[in-house]
């Protein structure tokens, strides 16, 4: 069931229209349409193999769609490279973390800042003397609760802190939209609790789109959730609306498996 909503005051930040994607003979996405409103946290959920991660990859430019359109504040960004989409203000984390293990937490964030990344490692070696740039990176590290670990190599950080650092790296890109792919993957209850508080804080500042297998975690954060199954959007609504939907309840979508 798709719950229609009228009278909203939110501005549409990101939109996908009629996306389709296949790999060989396998249809992974079929005619998917999604709308993500400015200032909200929108969730995507569904069972293992439903097409969620493929959808994320199409939305962020890692896979081109076979058909359909992706819009960022009305601008057509369909088929642009991940780098160009990121430059337009779309940042994402990954289900499998991607960090520079030999760098400290602060150095990972420094290198992700556009003013450092755009000129490469020569600037990175000299950036220690640039107080303004270092302070900017430190504020992002503090924002995700890693101030005490700023000088610790990322490879030495506990798993939950590495997840927080990956979000910090995404924030360093100064995004208009932040995509989070399975942020609780591999976390225990304590780690999920700390991550919940972090994302609650970020939700007040960013438009966020999140894939999450933990239904309770997602429903405690999301303003609206889209359910993908068999490569299609089969339900959309608020967490309360989806909890009340008999099909969603019977389907037991909140499993802890990869998608």
């Amino acid at each position: 069931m798709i719950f229609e909503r009228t009278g909203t005051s939110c501005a549409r930040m990101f939109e996908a229209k009629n996306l389709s994607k296949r790999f060989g003979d396998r249809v992974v996405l079929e005619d998917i349409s999604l709308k993500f409103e400015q200032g909200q946290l929108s969730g995507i959920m569904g069972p293992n193999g439903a097409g969620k991660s493929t959808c994320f990859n199409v939305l962020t430019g890692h896979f081109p769609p076979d058909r359909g359109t992706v819009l960022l504040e009305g601008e057509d960004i369909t088929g642009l490279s991940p780098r160009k989409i990121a430059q337009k203000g779309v940042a994402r984390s990954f289900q499998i973390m991607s960090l520079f293990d030999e760098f400290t937490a602060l150095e990972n964030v420094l290198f992700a800042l556009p003013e450092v990344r755009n000129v490469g490692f020569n600037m990175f070696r000299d950036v220690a003397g640039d107080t303004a740039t270092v302070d900017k990176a430190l504020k992002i590290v503090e924002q995700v609760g890693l101030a005490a670990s700023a000088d610790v190599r990322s490879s030495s950080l506990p798993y939950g802190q590495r997840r927080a650092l990956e979000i910090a790296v995404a924030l360093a890109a100064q995004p208009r939209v932040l995509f989070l792919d399975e942020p609780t993957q591999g976390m225990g209850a304590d780690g999920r609790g700390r991550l919940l508080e972090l994302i609650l804080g970020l939700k007040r500042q960013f438009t966020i789109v999140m894939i999450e297998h933990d239904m309770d975690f997602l429903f405690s954060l999301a303003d609206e959730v889209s359910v993908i199954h068999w490569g299609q959007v089969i339900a959309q609504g608020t967490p309360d609306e989806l909890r009340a939907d008999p099909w969603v309840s019977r389907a037991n979508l909140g499993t802890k498996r990869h998608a």
Side-chain angles (χ1 to χ4, degrees):
M1 178 182 294
I2 295 181
F3 302 92
E4 295 294 339
R5 195 167 287 99
T6 59
T8 180
S9 60
C10 294
R12 190 161 299 150
M13 172 65 75
F14 201 99
E15 187 171 5
K17 296 181 178 180
N18 308 114
L19 292 182
S20 295
K21 182 66 180 179
R22 68 165 58 226
F23 296 101
D25 294 332
R26 182 186 173 210
V27 177
V28 183
L29 303 177
E30 185 175 1
D31 201 32
I32 278 187
S33 293
L34 297 163
K35 299 172 184 176
F36 306 130
E37 309 292 355
Q38 184 172 358
Q40 290 192 350
L41 190 151
S42 300
I44 297 175
M45 61 179 292
N48 186 46
K52 305 187 302 295
S53 291
T54 297
C55 183
F56 238 45
N57 284 324
V58 170
L59 294 176
T60 55
H62 293 267
F63 296 153
D66 297 324
R67 293 190 305 278
T69 306
V70 181
L71 302 171
L72 175 63
E73 288 192 302
E75 179 186 357
D76 189 344
I77 61 171
T78 312
L80 294 183
S81 69
R83 179 179 176 83
K84 288 185 177 179
I85 290 177
Q87 288 173 342
K88 290 182 178 294
V90 177
R92 69 167 290 181
S93 69
F94 290 85
Q95 189 173 4
I96 300 173
M97 284 184 288
S98 178
L99 297 170
F100 291 108
D101 283 343
E102 70 275 19
F103 289 177
T104 66
L106 177 60
E107 288 168 343
N108 268 275
V109 176
L110 270 170
F111 187 63
L113 292 172
E115 57 265 42
V116 177
R117 182 178 287 274
N118 289 342
V119 295
F121 282 91
N122 289 336
M123 168 67 176
F124 185 57
R125 285 197 297 267
D126 300 332
V127 78
D130 185 344
T131 304
T133 301
V134 173
D135 285 348
K136 184 176 179 179
L138 274 172
K139 286 180 181 177
I140 297 170
V141 171
E142 291 169 359
Q143 187 176 11
V144 301
L146 294 179
S149 302
D151 294 325
V152 176
R153 285 195 179 196
S154 66
S155 59
S156 300
L157 293 173
Y159 186 84
Q161 290 189 9
R162 284 172 60 81
R163 279 288 179 193
L165 177 57
E166 192 188 29
I167 293 174
V169 168
L171 294 179
Q174 302 169 2
R176 294 148 72 187
V177 187
L178 176 62
F179 282 78
L180 301 178
D181 188 356
E182 300 275 15
T184 68
Q185 182 65 42
M187 282 191 175
D190 289 345
R192 286 197 300 272
R194 287 190 293 270
L195 184 64
L196 179 70
E197 293 301 316
L198 169 58
I199 297 176
L200 278 172
L202 297 177
K203 182 181 172 180
R204 293 190 282 268
Q205 304 170 60
F206 298 96
T207 300
I208 301 174
V209 183
M210 183 168 68
I211 291 178
E212 181 51 53
H213 62 267
D214 185 329
M215 188 166 68
D216 290 338
F217 184 90
L218 179 61
F219 279 15
S220 67
L221 288 165
D223 297 291
E224 190 162 75
V225 177
S226 299
V227 181
I228 294 179
H229 201 3
W230 305 294
Q232 298 176 312
V233 177
I234 53 92
Q236 288 177 313
T238 66
D240 286 343
E241 288 169 336
L242 292 179
R243 281 192 187 100
D245 183 86
W247 188 93
V248 173
S249 298
R250 289 196 306 269
N252 190 28
L253 299 178
T255 60
K256 289 180 169 52
R257 294 179 295 172
H258 295 283

